[in-house]
Amino acid sequence: MQLTAPLDMHLHLRDGEMLENIAKTSAHTFSGAIIMPNLVPPVSSKEEVIAYKQRIMDAVDNEKFTPYMTLFFKPSYDKAFLESVKDEITAIKLYPAGITTNSEGGVSGFDVEELRPALEAMSELNIPLCVHGETNGFVMDREAEFVSIYERLATAFPNLKIIMEHITTKESVEALDKFQNLYATITLHHLIITLDDVAGGMLKPHLFCKPIAKRPEDRSALLKVALEAHPKVMFGSDSAPHPKHAKEACGCAAGVFTAPIALQVLAELFENENAPLENLQAFISGNAQKIYGVTPLSKTVTLEKKEFTVPSDYNGVVPMYADETLAYSIRDVRNG
């Protein structure tokens, strides 16, 4: 099985030692990725974008990989600033304040008029808005409650391309076809697990993430649009590395680390669900190229039906399926 120019349209690479330890796990098999800006402090200036991109390129070393950079959204961004930074970024990421890792500086209210100057400028400059779509309500309802905010934004800014990040509910899936300017990323783990897998028996901290995994009917809705390669959905791993001690702890950090095994598991999933290879290709690259207007580096990943035992950790970060056996292995990666 061959996959061409895989893209990960939602990736956390962190910074410092963690960046150096895990960047290659994505850069080896993916042509490029949308890089999240929620560092400490967040990436919010042109200089910070350029400097972070250089640190990423240093960390991936000789791997052929394009980091598609993002800014941490601030309502104060004006058109002049956005014009000055446009060529350095692919999108801007909006976080509700305090709702996920390192999001304390995010948006605390969603008054359309307060957001209008920045979002209208983004519309005019064709800069997509990526959104972590959760309220601060009851944890299982947060994403479904946020759909009304997506609807307000999509209506108020019809020319703004809005990416609903890592969707987890059937309500988000339904919203895709209601508004022309709404799109979505879907993670690997949300295609496979429900909350029962996380906390139905002994708690599995390495499956704990935000948005939290939902119900079987939500997973089914996600799986349907992914398998049929709905043109408005694309793969975004939300691969979120934390050191083992931060996951296996009181106050467990949110995030599932899937970067090293994403393509192998997706290949098996699509095969088991009898989805054609061209649908997997669209989900992991083709749709993203059209939605974002990017042309990725040429890379061909060849997978083979050969068992692969997932390592217990990658430089201290425990992956999904650690110590378990997958049906597919990566046989070869060719650039150019």
Side-chain angles (χ1 to χ4, degrees):
M1 177 188 297
Q2 288 191 334
L3 298 174
T4 303
L7 293 171
D8 183 346
M9 304 312 282
H10 185 120
L11 178 65
H12 295 273
L13 287 179
R14 310 303 190 204
D15 209 352
E17 184 179 2
M18 181 64 78
L19 171 63
E20 294 170 5
N21 285 342
I22 59 91
K24 284 189 175 183
T25 63
S26 290
H28 180 57
T29 52
F30 286 89
S31 289
I34 292 278
I35 309 300
M36 294 298 105
N38 57 330
L39 305 183
V40 180
V43 179
S44 58
S45 72
K46 182 176 181 178
E47 293 74 21
E48 288 166 344
V49 168
I50 293 170
Y52 186 31
K53 183 176 182 179
Q54 186 58 56
R55 296 197 296 275
I56 293 169
M57 297 308 297
D58 291 343
V60 304
D61 195 18
N62 59 351
E63 298 287 357
K64 302 300 181 183
F65 177 78
T66 301
Y68 298 111
M69 305 305 293
T70 63
L71 277 173
F72 189 100
F73 179 85
K74 292 185 177 181
S76 59
Y77 291 154
D78 60 22
K79 189 173 182 181
F81 167 73
L82 293 174
E83 284 181 320
S84 74
V85 76
K86 183 179 186 299
D87 291 342
E88 302 294 340
I89 63 172
T90 301
I92 295 178
K93 178 67 182 286
L94 186 155
Y95 293 90
I99 207 68
T100 190
T101 304
N102 300 337
S103 63
E104 288 73 20
V107 174
S108 56
F110 284 87
D111 180 273
V112 167
E113 295 311 311
E114 181 182 345
L115 300 176
R116 185 175 296 281
L119 296 185
E120 283 191 343
M122 289 175 63
S123 300
E124 292 173 18
L125 295 170
N126 195 29
I127 301 173
L129 177 71
C130 302
V131 183
H132 181 118
E134 290 188 285
T135 69
N136 61 356
F138 179 68
V139 69
M140 289 292 284
D141 298 331
R142 290 175 181 178
E143 185 177 313
E145 289 174 350
F146 200 90
V147 169
S148 63
I149 297 175
Y150 280 131
E151 292 176 347
R152 285 211 310 270
L153 294 176
T155 301
F157 308 99
N159 296 318
L160 177 65
K161 191 169 288 184
I162 301 170
I163 317 296
M164 301 185 293
E165 295 281 28
H166 44 49
I167 61 172
T168 66
T169 68
K170 56 184 176 58
E171 288 85 0
S172 294
V173 171
E174 291 165 359
L176 278 170
D177 292 323
K178 293 180 180 178
F179 295 91
Q180 185 177 357
N181 56 332
L182 282 184
Y183 302 84
T185 56
I186 301 177
T187 75
L188 169 66
H189 48 285
H190 288 124
L191 291 174
I192 295 171
I193 66 172
T194 67
L195 183 58
D196 202 48
D197 296 295
V198 183
M202 295 289 285
L203 182 67
K204 295 182 179 179
H206 296 289
L207 293 181
F208 171 62
C209 59
K210 291 184 178 180
I212 198 164
K214 302 300 192 301
R215 300 170 179 82
E217 56 267 33
D218 296 303
R219 178 183 59 186
S220 295
L222 299 175
L223 198 55
K224 181 179 183 297
V225 289
L227 294 172
E228 68 186 20
H230 188 297
K232 297 180 79 176
V233 303
M234 52 196 157
F235 175 65
S237 70
D238 195 19
S239 183
H242 293 279
K244 184 178 180 179
H245 67 79
K247 292 292 291 181
E248 298 177 4
C250 179
C252 170
V256 182
F257 183 54
T258 59
I261 52 92
L263 295 181
Q264 301 95 304
V265 178
L266 284 170
E268 183 176 357
L269 176 64
F270 273 61
E271 179 183 76
N272 289 344
E273 296 289 339
N274 298 311
L277 178 60
E278 55 263 33
N279 286 14
L280 176 56
Q281 180 63 49
F283 180 60
I284 59 99
S285 188
N287 288 352
Q289 292 184 49
K290 294 173 184 175
I291 293 168
Y292 273 100
V294 296
T295 302
L297 295 171
S298 178
K299 181 176 287 192
T300 302
V301 180
T302 303
L303 299 106
E304 61 181 337
K305 201 73 173 289
K306 180 182 177 182
E307 288 189 347
F308 169 67
T309 301
V310 180
S312 58
D313 72 272
Y314 289 82
N315 292 322
V317 181
V318 178
M320 187 177 183
Y321 293 123
D323 298 316
E324 296 184 38
T325 300
L326 306 180
Y328 274 91
S329 299
I330 292 173
R331 188 178 75 195
D332 183 51
V333 179
R334 295 187 180 183
N335 297 295

